[in-house]
Amino acid sequence: MKTKYIICVFLCAILFSSCEDVLETKTTYEWEDTDVWRIPDMAQGVLMNAYVAIPIRPDNYGNNFLDCATDNALTTSYESNVYKAGMGGITAFANPLGNWSNAYSQLQHINIFLEKGLTDNVLYNRSDLLTDSIIKSRLKGEAHFLRAWWHHELLKIYGGKAVNGKALGIPLAKKYYTQEETGVFENFERAGYDESVAFIISDLDTAMNLLPNAYTGTDVNLGTTHIGRANRMAAAVLKARVYLYAASPAYQDDDIIQLNGMGDFTVLDETEYQRKWELAALKMDTIIQMTNFGVFTAMTSANLVDATNATPSDFVFRKFFNTNALEMQHFPPFYYGNANTIPSQNLVKAFGTKSGFPQNDPRSGWATSAPYSNLDNRFLMNIYHHGRVFGAAGGAIDVMKGGKDSPEYDQRASRSGYYLAKFVSTKNTMLNPTLTTNSIHYTPLLRRSEVFLDFAEASNEAWGPKVKGPGCKYSAYDIIKDIRSKSGGITSTTYLDEMALTKDDFRKLIQNERRIEFTFENHRYFDLRRCLLPLNEDVYGIEVTVENDVPVYTERKLEARSYEVKHYYSPLPYEELIKNIYLINNKGWE
Amino acid sequence: MLNTKESKMKNNKYNFIFIYLLFSWLIISTSYAQTNKKVRQSKQTFVELNSKVVDEEGNPVKDASIITGESAVIMFTDAKGKFKTKVPSNATIIIEAFGYTAQQYQLAQKVLPKEVMLKKEAIFSSEEFMLNRADGSRVSQRNLVGAVGTIKGKDLMSYPDLVVTNSLQGKAAGLVIRNNVSGLGNNTPSVFLRGQHTNGNSQALIMVDGIERPLEDLLPEEIEKIELLKDATSKVLYGPRAANGVLMVTTRRGENNRRSLRITAEAGMNQITRLPQYLNSHDYAGLYNEARTNDGLVPFYSQQQLDGYQNSQGASDLLYPNVDNYKEFIKPQTSYKKAVLEMNGGNNTVKYAVIAGFTGTDGIENSATATLLNRFNLRANLDVKVTDYLSLVAGVSGRLEIRSWGAMDGSQLFTALSTHRPNEYPFTISPEDIGIPADSSGLPHFGAGSRQASNLYANMMYGGKTAERYANNQSNLGLNFKLDRITKGLTAGAYITFDNYDYYKESQIPVNATYDVSTYNNANGILDTLYTQMLKYAPATRKSRINAETSRSLGLRANIGYENHFGIHSVSSMLGYNYAKYEVKGTAQDVINATYTAHFNYDYDNKYIVEFNSALMGSNRFAAGNKFFLSPTIGAAWIISNEDFLPQSGNINFLKLKASYGVLGYDRNTDYLMYQRAWADNGTVSFGEANNGNKPRVTSMVRAASPDLKWEQSAELNIGVEGLFMNNRLRSELNYFNENRTNIIGFQSESYGDYLGSYVYNTNMGSVTNQGIEGYVSWNDKIGDFSYTLGGNFIWSKNKLTTWNDVVPTEEAYRSSIGRPTDAMFGLVSQGLFGKDVALSGHPFQTFGPYQEGDLAYDDLNSDNVIDGRDQRLLGNSFPRTSFGIDLTLNYRGWGMYVLGAGETGINKWANNNYYWNRAEDKYSVTALNRYHPANNPNGTYPRLTTTTGENNFRNSTMWLLNADFFRVKNIEFSYTHTDRSVTAVAKQIKIFARGTNLFVISSIKDLDPELLNGGIINYPLMRAFTGGVSFTF
């Protein structure tokens, strides 16, 4: 009997012992809040998200350049977002170029870092409080720069106009928002465009005050090991860009600029419009006149690819990669690439001849029989054309029927007759299936040169081509002449002088200069929109045939760009609009 | 090809040797048993039995079975209740009949009376109708207040399949088995009980002998029965993982005074049912050119190439290859063999069951290294009555599976078969053509495509080998105490299970050199052939272990029960504790559940039954203080047939009304540690020149804390009626169920702006209601020697998402998921083809991709003159509304026939695999012939061909919605059983049988299998089995 009682007691013990103890979780490699805001590596790590989210490759629009959504280029990846955008696929419900949630996500990281990562709880150097404050001020500067960067990324896409004609910006993420706070929608109205700009500029000013000019020397905290972080120059260049956009016709209230149709607008309030450009030009001039800012330098192919380990000084904010991923996407199929982004005939025609004239000017010396000879230096930097040797030691590009780079050879061959040269390596055997190699690439995100073109545009609008603004170092003419000479190899100023006679002609020249200087740097889509240029130019390619042993080049229309007037502004995300009644959509998308 | 045959023969030889060894052992052991028996029998005397079986009123009992000699020798009483046989004088005789308590006689002690009286027993309360419960208690079908279905293991044996779970389809009411496409022997289906319970995981829980275990580890011969626990009172005792229903499998155990030794050998073949059809090189090239032209591009294939394909020399034609991949690499049929030894028996103190089985099959791949699967199952279950008050249950089992195949597994092979185009590359290139001397080892030069570096022929014929081992062992040990000495009816028990699962895969795969062959006009305009090496040869130097997994589980149970009768009152109760822990290598958290249960059943006068079951469910997924959830349930039943007001005729033998209701917690859809905010390391970011400088770490938010998260819970109502009618010939049950799943966890994104980023926490935001009807009816009768059973079962269910986050304006309510079933399929409404059915001009702009004549036109549902994602509405549903099964069993003397049919109705599928969607540079299937082209095929119904990805056409729409209703003849068995009751017989029973599975299917989908649209495209197709075999019962 005794044993039975013991068993009984034992069973009862099992039955009613150990309540929650057995229901434990295993240790994880996760950290709690208190760790993150105490340990400097982890605190800084929160901010680093905002760097990581900036794409490493320039062809980051679904393995394509954003130029494919413009008349500069086409893509062979028909499922890509740029292709969808180009054929009119932008809707509020699905915006292939939308960056709303990604950008706000980064802003949350930045804001929580600003609030919690710079307090006395986190010591970036425990032994030396001076070093700690140096690091903190650098991090604070970086955070403000990144907050400006991501706000401007949003502003580039979503900035626009309401139906009442007011230029609108975006809801500003001035602080870290909790889940409850993001549910209070009246706090998320769109700020006016100017208010958005002011907020971004104030962030950039803060950043410029805190950041070093550049990361040089061997200093542990501010030396070369930190290249790639935001610096004062980067903030300055971004500032110029923000002012340029802010003065552009697309972002003026209706009583200043009236949009009449595709590529057509009227300035209603010349004074106010002028004032904006003057402000922009003066701000840009201050930047140009900063110590160590230097002069315009031409970009070479070797700055971008097959480069050295030394970041070109032009690239004040850049990303770096040493792979062949970009070549995989854009090499011709004969060299095992996918020929994803292919330049258009429209772009080819934008390059003038070395004598400084456009191709269609009778004085240019351009001939239909040799359409690619003697063009602006930047042509070869950008484009592989029929007959040009591919890479350092490849065969001549042959797009004639049945040729090695023709659509009869491979289904993915270029249909425009051109292949991309900018950013792609000259190592033509790079993708050899049994022996692949890498190449050093830079993705310039902010270039000093940009400020010169920004200034030229603003100065021309403010004071005309040849007038130097008050206190300004250059006139628009000075700068364009310099750029054409350095980048294009154009010494003759005949055509330039002709164009400099009127502001309107010179504007067109500057716009074209910007187009060929910044090809495939993902500028044109935004430039077309902000300048209210026609978005819907048909895109052409070239067909090469032989008649009587002489190659004949025939233009062929390949694609229409199905943009409408409303595409000057992007629709805000549909789901956000439904949730938030305080959110006003852009014109044309109500 | 020689290689294939050789290795196949070798493998066949091994199989043969194994089977031979198994059989010799069986024969030796049985003949040893025989001789033993003979020695024993030679001393025995025999007695002649000649008795009559009667009931308490003296009426003869017809069809009572007389079981003698511990074995399977069974005879039946005739219409007068009489039987006559000769048995050893010391035999034990069991006499049983449906509705009566079985009687047992040991002739050595007691002579069988001339009239054996059987006591009437309450219907559904005999041992056969006892149901096991998770807490260790048992309840009879009669006293059951809930809904529990039962499938007998012996009913599954007629289905030859490597995965026993597949044989459950159509077998029971409420059970929905959904086939999955997978490789040989891996096609475990998804199992559902009573439809879709939630918008997360709705699959049922499968338990084997008291703990969660994979059912496919078992042979049907190992299964005694599978109980399907469907209502709240039944499920609650299983803890927090049971709310979607439980399949509780009980393995076979020995039976008192019944011994059987059965050896079964079965062999046959597996045949492919349906394979997708693709176009040959010439047809493909012609249509591809059409697609190019459609896109405004120049044709890709020249006339010379088209002619070349027309006159192709076949797979190794250098410039114009034409390959039928399926024909080259797939065999139409394969072999299947199985041998099983079953032994069970016992006496009043020790009972045992031993099952050993071998299953072997080869794959349908035509490859140098044959695909083989050999599986060994072993199980031994033992019950020992140690003393009057202590008994022990023990069981061990294991499965060892050895597989081998070549370089490509089923998924890789079929994906390649369905994507490598017929003209992609020549299999081999002659040394003369390529100008590279022949390899001294005889390895040919292999072709490749410029986009397809690997060569199927090289991989299949010279690709190396892969091997896989899966082994598990499972053990159970339990102690049961009868504590009558303390209080009559008091019991206690303890039970422990411990399982180990081990899996690894290793391979030895060389890379064969391949060469792309392409032609182009060189700089001089002359056609040049270019050979480019796409892959370099790399020998398989050593075996590499590519995958290894282990997992284990531990289960504990303790319980105290009390059961007694006081006059017309009966009570049965149990307090239990159940602990289970599942650990899988590499997962962050173990599954740990601890549940306290209380069960109380009260029966008044065999008429009114009430039951309370409740559980305090514990889970490690919740915060401290919230780890437990109290689930109360209640049920009641009324046995109307026991009421006096019902005429006691033979028409209503049993009739019960029952209802149950309860609230169950469910933790399987809840993630771990949701209550605590956490960050994790997310790599680094690189600074410095060439990224060689500072590399700070990136810290990412894993989750924000949701400290107040409640348990997902399910409130369930079941109302049912069950009965037995027409002199026990008609049995039927019908249940209505209504379930309300609430507190489903999710992020309420409709209430918060996107400005939140990743700093999101979850709330109890969702709810789903699920309701339906299920039932079965079975009729069995006997006319002379002819007996038959005809049965049918069905379930109809439909659920509805009642709350969830949904950002849809009211005018577009048609695309809201709320108020819709969780298996809803949303898509665009196709109006037909532009240019054929709809005019292109004036149609609202479609935003998905470029479109032209021949492309799909969609309906602008919200009339905003733009077709986009907002024009998608509910089109169908992906889970069957109704699943049903029909079975027929016929027996005449020794002849038997069994037919099972299963079907689903109210179900749709998307025709969205590459068989239906011919686009870009994909392989074209025969459906490409049905494309629309204004000149070439004006009557075509599929959209025009395109070399783009066809974003406008290839998206979910009514165009691609299929009605996937089907009825399948799932299983047929023909058998003849020779019974020799004489004591000198070699075997008591010899059964010869022929079996077939998946014989044919009726559906509107004719070209692919309606259940497995991806079968033969991404992995193995559905197979049809034909087997024959024999079993000896000694």
Side-chain angles (χ1 to χ4, degrees), chain A residues 15 23 26 30-31 33 42 45 49 108-109 179-180 225 227 229 309 311 336-338 402 407 411 579, chain B residues 288 300 451 521 532 589 596 627 677 679 688-689 694 697 699 703 749 752 755-756 759 761 809 815:
Chain A
L15 212 58
L23 297 172
K26 291 203 282 193
E30 295 170 355
W31 307 314
D33 248 22
M42 297 178 188
N49 281 296
Q108 279 280 82
H109 291 308
Q179 185 152 323
E180 282 67 31
T225 54
I227 288 175
R229 289 184 191 260
N309 278 346
T311 303
Y336 312 105
N338 285 324
Q411 293 98 326
K579 285 190 264 190
Chain B
Y288 184 78
F300 182 72
R451 303 281 160 186
N521 291 332
T532 314
Q589 294 295 335
Y596 298 88
K627 286 188 191 288
R677 180 161 169 147
W679 302 79
E689 290 293 15
N694 187 261
R697 111 200 303 168
T699 313
R703 74 187 90 78
S749 62
Y752 307 103
Y755 322 101
L756 184 57
Y759 298 80
Y761 62 74
R815 64 182 178 91

Side-chain angles (χ1 to χ4, degrees), chain B residues 711-897:
Chain B
W711 282 56
E712 178 176 331
Q713 65 177 57
S714 166
E716 299 180 27
L717 172 72
N718 184 76
I719 299 171
V721 53
E722 58 174 294
L724 199 59
F725 311 98
M726 316 289 285
N727 286 323
N728 300 338
R729 284 180 297 181
L730 181 71
R731 187 177 170 187
S732 180
E733 177 169 349
L734 193 68
N735 284 301
Y736 162 78
F737 59 90
N738 187 320
E739 177 189 3
N740 190 14
R741 193 64 75 96
T742 51
N743 284 345
I744 300 170
I745 293 161
F747 168 57
Q748 221 159 344
S749 62
E750 93 276 20
S751 309
Y752 307 103
D754 248 0
Y755 322 101
L756 184 57
S758 52
Y759 298 80
V760 168
Y761 62 74
N762 289 287
T763 50
N764 297 97
M765 58 174 286
S767 50
V768 174
T769 57
N770 178 33
Q771 58 174 333
I773 307 169
E774 57 168 38
Y776 69 82
V777 57
S778 100
W779 171 268
N780 70 76
D781 201 2
K782 198 168 177 186
I783 306 161
D785 284 336
F786 176 69
S787 67
Y788 67 96
T789 306
L790 178 63
N793 64 70
F794 78 100
I795 172 165
W796 176 88
S797 73
K798 191 173 177 182
N799 78 356
K800 197 161 85 176
L801 188 68
T802 48
T803 56
W804 195 243
N805 65 347
D806 200 37
V807 195
V808 173
T810 43
E811 63 271 24
E812 286 169 17
Y814 56 82
R815 64 182 178 91
S816 169
S817 61
I818 291 171
R820 301 269 155 66
T822 57
D823 62 339
M825 297 160 81
F826 288 87
L828 297 156
V829 179
S830 161
Q831 297 173 317
L833 301 172
F834 283 120
K836 185 186 174 211
D837 310 305
V838 180
L840 185 59
S841 65
H843 191 271
F845 184 69
Q846 308 197 153
T847 59
F848 310 109
Y851 59 96
Q852 63 186 61
E853 293 210 335
D855 285 323
L856 286 176
Y858 299 115
D859 203 352
D860 184 15
L861 296 184
N862 59 0
S863 309
D864 62 352
N865 226 26
V866 168
I867 311 288
D868 61 6
R870 291 160 65 186
D871 297 300
Q872 306 198 39
R873 70 165 170 81
L874 180 78
L875 299 179
N877 54 275
S878 60
F879 190 86
R881 289 290 163 264
T882 311
S883 295
F884 61 94
I886 297 167
D887 62 272
L888 173 68
T889 312
L890 306 174
N891 280 303
Y892 179 72
R893 303 210 164 158
W895 297 94
M897 181 174 127

Side-chain angles (χ1 to χ4, degrees), chain A residues 1 3-5 7-8 11-12 14-20 22-33 36-37 41-46 48-49 51-52 78-79 83-84 87-89 91 93 100-101 104-105 108-109 112 171 176-180 182-183 185 188 224-229 309-311 318 320 333-334 336-338 398 401-404 407-412 415 432-435 442 543 556 562 566 574-576 578-580 583, chain B residues 288 292 296-301 389 421 450-451 481 483 485-486 492-494 518-522 530 532-536 558 560 575-577 579 587-590 592-594 596 618-620 624-628 673 675-681 685 687-691 693-694 696-700 702-703 747 749-761 807 809 812 815 845-850 866 868-870 921 947-949 951:
Chain A
M1 272 313 259
T3 46
K4 273 155 252 160
Y5 281 117
I7 290 164
C8 214
L11 283 173
C12 291
I14 293 180
L15 212 58
F16 301 109
S17 71
S18 63
C19 219
E20 288 204 349
V22 297
L23 297 172
E24 63 210 0
T25 47
K26 291 203 282 193
T27 318
T28 59
Y29 32 80
E30 295 170 355
W31 307 314
E32 293 181 27
D33 248 22
V36 171
W37 303 121
D41 269 11
M42 297 178 188
Q44 183 189 204
V46 177
M48 293 300 114
N49 281 296
Y51 276 118
V52 172
Y78 300 102
E79 70 288 353
Y83 185 68
K84 266 182 206 166
M87 52 67 53
T91 69
F93 192 75
W100 186 273
S101 68
Y104 279 109
S105 198
Q108 279 280 82
H109 291 308
I112 199 171
Y176 167 77
Y177 294 107
T178 64
Q179 185 152 323
E180 282 67 31
T182 59
F185 290 112
F188 296 94
T224 50
T225 54
H226 295 281
I227 288 175
R229 289 184 191 260
N309 278 346
T311 303
R318 56 81 174 148
F320 171 94
F334 190 81
Y336 312 105
N338 285 324
D398 181 1
K401 189 177 177 187
K404 78 184 213 316
E408 286 83 9
Y409 173 75
D410 190 291
Q411 293 98 326
R412 299 189 198 194
R415 61 193 186 282
N432 191 323
T434 54
L435 187 77
Y442 288 97
E543 202 171 54
R556 273 186 58 199
S562 313
K566 65 178 178 182
Y574 181 74
E575 295 209 339
E576 292 294 299
I578 295 289
K579 285 190 264 190
N580 183 354
L583 212 52
Chain B
Y288 184 78
R292 295 275 296 186
L297 300 168
V298 291
F300 182 72
Y301 296 101
Y389 58 85
R421 289 172 291 175
S450 61
R451 303 281 160 186
F481 302 90
L483 302 175
R485 291 191 200 180
I486 298 171
S518 52
T519 55
Y520 69 102
N521 291 332
N522 65 15
L530 178 75
T532 314
Q533 185 162 16
M534 297 301 287
L535 290 176
K536 268 204 284 201
I560 296 175
L575 287 176
Y577 172 71
Y579 170 86
T587 56
Q589 294 295 335
D590 300 335
I592 304 176
N593 291 135
Y596 298 88
S619 164
N620 61 340
N626 190 25
K627 286 188 191 288
F628 284 93
L673 300 169
Y675 45 87
Q676 125 188 347
R677 180 161 169 147
W679 302 79
D681 190 89
V685 56
F687 297 121
E689 290 293 15
N691 285 346
N694 187 261
R697 111 200 303 168
V698 180
T699 313
S700 291
V702 179
R703 74 187 90 78
F747 168 57
S749 62
E750 93 276 20
S751 309
Y752 307 103
D754 248 0
Y755 322 101
L756 184 57
S758 52
Y759 298 80
V760 168
Y761 62 74
V807 195
E812 286 169 17
R815 64 182 178 91
F845 184 69
Q846 308 197 153
T847 59
F848 310 109
V866 168
D868 61 6
R870 291 160 65 186
E921 273 84 58
T947 60
T948 73
T949 43
E951 300 287 319

